[in-house]
Amino acid sequence: MIFGYARVSTEDQSLDAQIVALEGAGVERIYAEKASGSKLSRLELERLLDQLRPGDVVVVAKYDRLSRSLQDLLTIVEMVRSQGAGFRSLAEDIDTTTPAGRLVFHVFASIAQFERERIVERTKEGLAAARKRGRVGGRPPALSKERRVEVQRMRDQEGRSVSELARLFQVSPNTIRRA
């Protein structure tokens, strides 16, 4: 049997393009879910893996729909293989039911992992360079230093409540407590 697996990470994303591609590839049953690829527990993927028998094939539109990390991808494909089933990725034209397909799969997975790691490195380098230039990322503070001093003065000297200060400065009570 040919099984398909489709996944998107968030509720506002659509599975339609993946499902159309899987149906076009002759998939007989599609397991689809909206869950992060980094989650280890994905209900539909688990159901799919439980259904596998020798000779079955698992098909995905792109191999990154199966997993976000190389290690997880290799683990899942090994689980598929250990049950006597094959793995196909349509976008990358990978078919692990053949020796050449297994080789191509491992090469592509390694390249993808390398690229993800390079993106993380470049992001960290960019953030470090910005910090050296005096730029600090993140959300600006809700209260300036002067306003924090004023909040403390009003609380300590005037005895105003946290909720009153929060309304007065138009911030949350937790912001007042942190000040």
Side-chain angles (χ1 to χ4, degrees):
M1 184 151 183
I2 302 174
F3 294 102
Y5 179 73
R7 180 191 61 79
V8 290
S9 299
T10 62
E11 286 295 323
D12 59 331
Q13 293 175 316
S14 174
L15 291 159
D16 295 345
Q18 291 178 59
I19 290 172
V20 167
L22 293 172
E23 288 172 344
V27 168
E28 300 167 56
R29 181 159 181 206
I30 297 174
Y31 292 83
E33 62 190 334
K34 295 186 177 188
S36 171
S38 60
K39 284 186 179 178
L40 294 177
S41 176
R42 288 178 271 155
L43 187 59
E44 290 300 306
L45 179 59
E46 290 173 10
R47 286 183 180 151
L48 167 61
L49 295 172
D50 286 342
Q51 294 294 314
L52 289 179
R53 303 291 176 257
D56 289 346
V57 178
V58 175
V59 180
V60 293
K62 286 183 72 176
Y63 70 85
D64 67 349
R65 298 297 82 208
L66 198 57
S67 170
R68 297 276 304 199
S69 75
L70 174 61
Q71 189 58 49
D72 192 33
L73 179 64
L74 293 173
T75 300
I76 293 169
V77 172
E78 179 54 31
M79 290 170 64
V80 169
R81 190 202 62 76
S82 71
Q83 294 182 34
F87 169 74
R88 282 183 48 213
S89 176
L90 301 176
E92 294 82 13
D93 198 25
I94 297 171
D95 185 350
T96 66
T97 61
T98 68
R102 284 189 291 278
L103 172 65
V104 170
F105 167 73
H106 286 284
V107 170
F108 272 34
S110 296
I111 291 169
Q113 180 69 25
F114 172 75
E115 183 56 29
R116 278 192 291 276
E117 289 173 5
R118 285 294 300 140
I119 290 169
V120 169
E121 278 180 13
R122 289 191 298 267
T123 301
K124 287 180 181 177
E125 289 168 358
L127 290 171
R131 278 191 290 276
K132 284 183 180 177
R133 291 190 311 268
R135 298 214 32 170
V136 180
R139 187 176 181 160
L143 293 173
S144 67
K145 188 172 185 170
E146 296 80 20
R147 292 186 88 187
R148 281 196 308 270
V149 169
E150 184 64 15
V151 164
Q152 290 171 350
R153 185 193 66 74
M154 292 174 82
R155 185 194 62 212
D156 296 343
Q157 293 176 6
E158 297 177 17
R160 297 204 186 200
S161 70
V162 169
S163 59
E164 182 183 1
L165 290 168
R167 279 192 307 277
L168 185 63
F169 285 89
Q170 297 180 340
V171 295
S172 74
N174 281 337
T175 299
I176 298 297
R177 287 185 195 97
R178 283 191 299 268

